[in-house]
Amino acid sequence: PPRRGTVEHGSPSAALALARTRRSLQRVLEHTADVVLVHRGGRILHANRAFARAVGRARASQLVGIELADLVRSEGELEAVLRSTRPAALAGEGVVALEAGFRCAGGETTQIELAPAEEIDLDDGPASLLVGRDVTERRRVHEQLARADRLYSLGRLATGVAHELNNPLAYITLNLSLLGRAIAQLPAEVRDGAERSLHATRSGVERATSIVRDLAAFSHPHPETTAPVDLRGVARSALAIVRAQLEQTARVVLELGEVPPVLGNRARLEQVVVNLLINAGQSFAAAPRGPGDDFVVTIHTGTSPAGRALLEVRDNGCGVAPEHQRRVFDPFFTTRGGSGGTGLGLSICHGIVTGVGGEITLTSQVAGRGTTVRVSLPPHDAAVARSAPPVAVAPGSATAAPAAAP
């Protein structure tokens, strides 16, 4: 007879014990943070919750019966997944681990790192077991670090370029002033043509000077004095600078609602709005225009429910393509490479706004729906509280904690 505490093979107790073990293992697989996937010939037989979450499915059962070819991003990655096995890896004939992109239900791509497949025996035949982990966030962090390194290199390059161009531009500007006085002495029949050429040259030099100034601001920003600023006044001043250029193509609407003062540098905030207005005006060049269509740029100020100061610049121009929207604030990124765009305008706006504790966002739709750029800034009192140094409190005394910024 079997010893006490043992289960005889083939007995009902053994079957129950085996069933309990299977349920326990099933729970382990379902709740592990790692991706677990079983397939036969590329058809999914089982997937756990981690894999379902990684590919945007509400339940793992939704994946049963789906072909890996419908999930893996490319044929090359699919072939690598199907060919990678543990025996081949141990024999040095395959990869130790591989990464593959899996298409999610919402259209995004999840990057999953997979160990070589392990062959397992199921009741209905052999299958392949894949175990891995979602490394999408890790890949994103690596890309951000690589981009930060590239931006550092670009900043050093920009500093050198700005320095090398500053002196020649100063000479040219000085000599143009001298040339202007000399042209004034010319006979009238030749003076008009010379003055037009001089005006065009000055415009080109001013454009080059502006680019150099932007490069310097990007590569080596300087601390600036700050004071309470009314965004409505900033909007009016910025519009006065570009009104003549803007109203050649669009109608300008001012919606200047009540807005709390913000703590910042007025000239730099005006630079933000000027850049946004110039971008809005340039958006109409590629926008379709039918009979009776009216191009409009709207400047709106207001207060958010949380009490933050808001400034928006809206247009009904060509919009920004979805694949470009996440990069619009990257330095040197431009969709107007052949028409004078340097890719620094929105990047500098982003640096100015975030430098005073604000946020800048862009939402856009193509097909004439246009673009909205929203600047959200903390009100003056909250900005002062955020930037104030901590106050030392003597033992035994009490002080009220400053209110948190909304």
Side-chain angles (χ1 to χ4, degrees):
R3 288 178 300 174
R4 189 173 183 177
T6 64
V7 177
E8 186 177 356
H9 181 70
S11 69
S13 298
L16 289 174
L18 181 59
R20 284 197 299 269
T21 301
R22 283 181 172 176
R23 286 196 298 270
S24 298
L25 289 175
Q26 183 72 19
R27 286 197 294 270
V28 169
L29 293 177
E30 284 299 318
H31 291 88
T32 182
D34 286 340
V35 166
V36 178
L37 172 69
V38 178
H39 73 91
R40 180 181 291 129
R43 181 181 292 272
I44 296 175
L45 303 178
H46 172 81
N48 70 343
R49 294 177 184 177
F51 183 69
R53 284 195 300 268
V55 294
R57 300 312 199 273
R59 296 184 303 277
S61 59
Q62 295 174 319
L63 294 164
V64 176
I66 293 179
E67 295 286 345
L68 283 175
D70 296 328
L71 293 176
V72 179
R73 177 175 48 192
S74 67
E75 292 184 5
E77 288 175 313
L78 175 63
E79 182 180 358
V81 169
L82 296 178
R83 289 180 57 190
S84 175
T85 62
R86 183 171 177 81
L90 293 176
E93 299 172 2
V95 294
V96 176
L98 61 93
E99 282 190 21
F102 285 76
R103 288 186 287 268
C104 299
E108 305 88 358
T109 299
T110 296
Q111 201 75 12
I112 297 179
E113 183 182 70
L114 295 167
E118 183 78 48
E119 294 300 319
I120 61 174
D121 289 322
L122 301 180
D123 293 340
D124 58 347
S128 297
L129 170 67
L130 287 171
V131 179
R133 63 188 59 186
D134 185 345
V135 294
T136 307
E137 186 60 30
R138 185 179 73 184
R139 172 64 67 88
R140 186 178 294 116
V141 170
H142 285 174
E143 290 176 352
Q144 290 174 347
L145 290 174
R147 190 174 77 173
D149 186 61
R150 290 197 300 271
L151 292 183
Y152 173 74
S153 299
L154 284 172
R156 291 177 62 89
L157 176 63
T159 301
V161 170
H163 177 74
E164 292 298 326
L165 290 179
N166 255 330
N167 289 339
L169 286 173
Y171 300 148
I172 294 172
T173 303
L174 176 62
N175 289 334
L176 285 177
S177 299
L178 298 175
L179 188 58
R181 289 197 288 270
I183 288 175
Q185 308 300 320
L186 293 175
E189 59 270 16
V190 296
R191 187 169 63 243
D192 290 345
E195 287 179 343
R196 284 195 297 271
S197 298
L198 180 63
H199 177 73
T201 305
R202 276 181 174 151
S203 297
V205 171
E206 288 171 0
R207 169 68 175 156
T209 303
S210 174
I211 293 173
V212 169
R213 186 167 56 247
D214 285 350
L215 282 170
F218 163 70
S219 61
H220 193 63
H222 295 281
E224 295 159 335
T225 57
T226 57
V229 178
D230 184 350
L231 288 182
R232 292 170 295 187
V234 168
R236 292 189 187 98
S237 299
L239 179 59
I241 294 172
V242 298
R243 182 185 291 273
Q245 173 185 348
L246 198 57
E247 291 185 341
Q248 292 178 6
T249 55
R251 178 168 58 90
V252 180
V253 176
L254 285 174
E255 298 177 352
L256 302 183
E258 290 295 324
V259 61
V262 300
L263 184 66
N265 181 276
R266 183 185 177 95
R268 296 291 274 169
L269 292 175
E270 285 180 3
Q271 182 184 3
V272 169
V273 183
V274 166
N275 283 347
L276 297 182
L277 290 174
I278 290 175
N279 281 357
Q282 291 172 338
S283 73
F284 301 123
R289 188 171 191 173
D293 286 350
D294 193 12
F295 288 151
V296 181
V297 174
T298 302
I299 308 173
H300 170 84
T301 60
T303 307
S304 75
R308 291 172 71 89
L310 301 179
L311 184 144
E312 293 180 347
V313 175
R314 312 176 193 137
D315 66 70
N316 60 344
C318 62
V320 180
E323 63 269 20
H324 294 154
Q325 290 181 25
R326 66 183 183 86
R327 298 188 58 199
V328 292
F329 297 113
D330 289 356
F332 303 104
F333 176 78
T334 177
T335 58
R336 302 192 310 273
S339 56
T342 62
L344 285 172
L346 285 178
S347 173
I348 291 172
C349 291
H350 184 272
I352 294 172
V353 171
T354 56
V356 293
E359 298 175 352
I360 181 169
T361 58
L362 179 144
T363 56
S364 183
Q365 294 181 341
V366 294
R369 299 286 183 88
T371 300
T372 297
V373 180
R374 167 179 281 203
V375 175
S376 170
L377 297 170
H380 172 242
D381 293 342
V384 170
R386 180 176 59 85
S387 60
V391 178
V393 180
S397 63
T399 183

